[in-house]
Amino acid sequence: MIGAPSRTTNFRGSAPPLAAPTRHPAICQAGLKPIPNKADVTAMFRCFTTLVSVALLVGCGKRVIRMEQAENPNGRYQQQITSAKALLEQKESWADRAEWEVIKTSSGWQVIAWRIEHPGKKGPERYLPWGYSLIELDTRMVTVGYNAKG
């Protein structure tokens, strides 16, 4: 018949609506569920939480990021420590109990003043990880940056 709709189109000429999704026979035979139920979601959440907790514990292990041996204020970096100490005395109240770490950079010097919290201990155990100030000096020993960390 001319002008009669075919089986693949409706009266407006568009495709018929899609049928409801059916399960694949292999999924049904294997006993797998395409939509997880509440117990499955809870089990996945527990597994994810356990993995994240283990990753955090492993990643947050004890690492020494504090200096092992302080520089002598009257030693090879005397100029750098003197300049940094002058600034630290203006900014902090603990400048008299600081120990120094000096690092050469491409633009000058980085001087780290570590605040001694535990004078009876040795090495990095004397300081807290957040108990320091970072002082940046140029090649003329002029302060170009200051960052207090604790």
Side-chain angles (χ1 to χ4, degrees):
M1 285 202 239
I2 298 176
S6 69
R7 291 184 175 179
T8 58
T9 60
N10 60 16
F11 288 104
R12 295 185 184 159
S14 61
L18 295 175
T22 59
R23 291 187 180 179
H24 191 274
I27 292 176
C28 293
Q29 290 172 358
L32 299 175
K33 299 175 189 173
I35 300 174
N37 60 21
K38 188 175 180 179
D40 293 337
V41 172
T42 303
M44 287 188 289
F45 179 76
R46 285 185 184 157
C47 181
F48 175 77
T49 304
T50 303
L51 288 174
V52 168
S53 299
V54 169
L56 286 174
L57 289 174
V58 170
C60 296
K62 185 176 180 181
R63 284 182 254 156
V64 177
I65 58 169
R66 297 164 281 174
M67 71 173 172
E68 293 286 334
Q69 183 64 39
E71 290 292 338
N72 181 359
N74 299 321
R76 60 183 174 162
Y77 297 118
Q78 182 177 5
Q79 280 186 306
Q80 290 85 353
I81 292 173
T82 303
S83 296
K85 188 173 183 178
L87 175 71
L88 193 67
E89 287 172 343
Q90 295 173 12
K91 302 278 188 182
E92 305 289 348
S93 62
W94 49 267
D96 58 328
R97 58 186 172 106
E99 288 188 347
W100 305 93
E101 180 178 6
V102 182
I103 302 166
K104 174 75 172 134
T105 63
S106 61
S107 61
W109 302 91
Q110 206 175 45
V111 182
I112 303 171
W114 289 92
R115 182 177 64 217
I116 299 173
E117 292 293 332
H118 308 289
K121 294 186 178 180
K122 301 251 186 233
E125 299 299 319
R126 293 169 58 92
Y127 327 105
L128 295 176
W130 55 85
Y132 69 96
S133 290
L134 180 65
I135 303 155
E136 294 181 40
L137 305 171
D138 65 8
T139 55
R140 299 171 294 144
M141 303 306 147
V142 175
T143 304
V144 292
Y146 175 77
N147 191 359
K149 295 289 186 178

